Amino acid sequence: MDAPIIELAARVKDIKASPTLAVDAKAKALKAEGADVLNFSVGEPDFDTPPHVCEAGKAAIDERFTRYTPVPGILPLREAVCSRLSADHGWHYQPDQVQVSCGGKHGLYNMAQALFGPGDEVLIPAPYWVSYPPIIQLAGATPVIVPLDEESDFDLDPAVLHQYVSPRTRGIILNSPSNPTGSVLSARALEAIGKMALERGWAVITDDIYDTIVYGSDKLPHILDVDPRLSEQTLILNGVSKSFAMTGWRIGYTAGPKHIIAAMNKIQSQSTSNPSSVAQRAALAALTGPQDFPVAMRDAFVPRLAFIMEALTAMEGISCVRPRGSFYVFPNMSWCYGRKAKDGQVIADSVSLADYLLEKALLATVPGAAFGADSFIRFSFATSMEVLEEGMKRLAVALGELH
Ligand SMILES: *Cc1c(COP(=O)(O)O)cnc(C)c1O
């Protein structure tokens, strides 16, 4: 007799694994087979963690700083987060208003578990980061997707937002600069969101993970600068994954009202206990040491952004909003939907286009469908100029073969 197949919980059946990580895995598998894959799908900087940060991690091991830490993270790290928020933005937080988590994604997860449940609706502007809807669903709540327009540079139109608000709305997730579009929310949009949030008592989650990767010199508008009262209902999410090229160390942080951070700490205490002690020491070195690394990394992205924008918009049919931050471009590729490849394969949507580009041109990209926007595909330009040049050549050839 066969062993019985164990049923899975309903909550996991409704969830898909992260599509960006799936594309990355497929590209890496092809590469392992010897294929010359150019990877534009990765969502991480192509820089190494700065040496002084690595040294701090090594020193932590040598000092045997290898035991459990306090649930919300070590005090010096939470103090360092407060200092950065104050120095960089003029916002004042105390260490008991900060939680350090196992990456920014985990901070969002703790937050959703602490704030939302069945019957609650959470507004998510689309294109959105792939993990927002499943994280809300895993809390038992309902993601409500608010479409943004390419024509308005993916800014949020308050009139459109109104259409998706209901008495069950409990919160909204903001991400500016955005992954995948690189767009930022205007002061006008943030004012309207802030006003609605104050009137209706929403939690405002602001994912600021790309706030050190901004092009141009203008200070980005921020929801907390709209009205000081909003700090009572806003959660700031950030981390060192992108700013210090530390994706593998898994350190993120959340700052917000004390009672919400305390609730998140309860969740963390019963799940991961604390983030890695060694990684916390490394993150401490990142936040308290010289701040030139994020600036140098941003500066290195500038010519790559200029190159890929020019290459994409020179191709027939493609339109692409110029990113104001992040290391992604999100061109509209819908002109080729419905066309056929040489072998008769029909490019029906963003998923079949990404498959075609991976199989025929050995270009790994992420289909826009993963971000709730099927007309687009995402290219990361956190890759060398040589790869960008070769990749854009291959893209032009592959698209030229469609008819
Ligand atoms: C990368 C990223 C994060 C955080 O990632 P972690 O690796 O979990 O720190 C959060 N939000 C967005 C939009 C991201 O792209």
Side-chain angles (χ1 to χ4, degrees):
M1 212 176 83
D2 289 344
I5 293 182
I6 301 296
E7 269 292 304
L8 299 176
R11 97 173 60 77
V12 80
K13 288 185 189 165
D14 297 336
I15 300 289
K16 290 196 209 86
S18 166
T20 42
L21 297 181
V23 178
D24 197 43
K26 199 164 160 185
K28 282 182 178 141
L30 275 172
K31 218 169 182 162
E33 289 167 16
D36 175 25
V37 176
L38 301 181
N39 198 345
F40 289 91
S41 72
V42 272
E44 60 185 348
D46 60 326
F47 285 74
D48 289 330
T49 305
H52 72 281
V53 174
C54 296
E55 288 309 321
K58 283 190 210 164
I61 294 174
D62 290 342
E63 291 164 26
R64 300 296 181 265
F65 189 71
T66 51
R67 298 177 187 272
Y68 290 128
T69 76
V71 168
I74 55 175
L75 183 60
L77 181 52
R78 285 179 289 135
E79 287 172 341
V81 168
C82 296
S83 299
R84 285 253 66 81
L85 292 174
S86 159
D88 298 345
H89 302 280
W91 302 327
H92 299 293
Y93 284 88
Q94 299 300 320
D96 61 2
Q97 294 180 288
V98 173
Q99 177 186 72
V100 180
S101 52
C102 309
K105 192 184 276 185
H106 184 229
L108 274 166
Y109 186 87
N110 285 340
M111 209 183 289
Q113 293 291 320
L115 288 173
F116 307 122
D120 294 339
E121 294 178 357
V122 180
L123 300 166
I124 303 178
Y128 48 71
W129 186 43
V130 289
S131 292
Y132 297 147
I135 284 174
I136 296 305
Q137 280 171 280
L138 284 168
T142 306
V144 174
I145 307 305
V146 182
L148 304 178
D149 254 4
E150 181 187 9
E151 285 70 36
S152 50
D153 288 355
F154 300 110
D155 195 14
L156 200 143
D157 180 345
V160 174
L161 180 63
H162 262 291
Q163 297 167 26
Y164 293 87
V165 173
S166 91
R168 292 171 169 243
T169 307
R170 295 270 337 276
I172 183 165
I173 304 183
L174 309 177
N175 179 214
S176 174
S178 145
N179 175 4
T181 66
S183 293
V184 300
L185 291 167
S186 66
R188 177 175 160 270
L190 290 169
E191 263 164 43
I193 296 163
K195 195 157 167 272
M196 277 194 248
L198 283 168
E199 280 168 11
R200 297 162 191 259
W202 296 344
V204 179
I205 294 151
T206 172
D207 179 346
D208 298 348
I209 203 94
Y210 292 102
D211 70 353
T212 57
I213 308 173
V214 175
Y215 308 107
S217 53
D218 296 352
K219 189 182 180 299
L220 292 191
H222 195 278
I223 189 80
L224 275 188
D225 299 328
V226 167
D227 187 319
R229 289 176 298 164
L230 280 165
S231 64
E232 296 301 319
Q233 58 201 79
T234 299
L235 290 145
I236 302 171
L237 179 90
N238 213 319
V240 290
S241 293
K242 310 291 158 61
S243 53
F244 282 89
M246 291 178 70
T247 46
W249 296 80
R250 312 306 306 132
I251 296 290
Y253 53 83
T254 307
K258 196 171 148 182
H259 75 286
I260 300 177
I261 297 296
M264 289 170 59
N265 288 340
K266 242 200 271 185
I267 305 278
Q268 181 147 292
S269 79
Q270 299 293 12
S271 48
T272 63
S273 297
N274 60 263
S276 150
S277 59
V278 171
Q280 288 188 64
R281 276 285 184 83
L284 178 62
L287 294 184
T288 56
Q291 297 300 300
D292 48 356
F293 179 83
V295 178
M297 187 163 70
R298 191 270 322 268
D299 289 350
F301 288 144
V302 171
R304 303 181 192 180
L305 167 60
F307 175 81
I308 198 167
M309 272 304 293
E310 192 169 332
L312 285 171
T313 50
M315 288 180 218
E316 208 190 315
I318 297 181
S319 60
C320 188
V321 171
R322 176 174 288 275
R324 300 266 313 273
S326 85
F327 39 72
Y328 308 105
V329 285
F330 202 54
N332 186 328
M333 307 297 287
S334 57
W335 68 273
C336 69
Y337 298 174
R339 297 194 180 213
K340 279 188 190 152
K342 273 202 227 150
D343 62 1
Q345 179 197 349
V346 178
I347 307 299
D349 50 22
S350 64
V351 173
S352 52
L353 177 61
D355 276 343
Y356 169 73
L357 293 177
L358 184 54
E359 281 157 25
K360 300 287 158 38
L362 297 175
L363 287 180
T365 60
V366 186
F371 309 97
D374 194 42
S375 297
F376 305 84
I377 58 175
R378 191 190 75 176
F379 289 81
S380 162
F381 53 89
T383 183
S384 72
M385 204 58 154
E386 293 71 47
V387 167
L388 286 170
E389 284 170 2
E390 172 64 17
M392 289 303 108
K393 271 186 216 155
R394 287 192 199 173
L395 180 69
V397 172
L399 293 178
E401 285 174 1
L402 299 177
H403 57 273

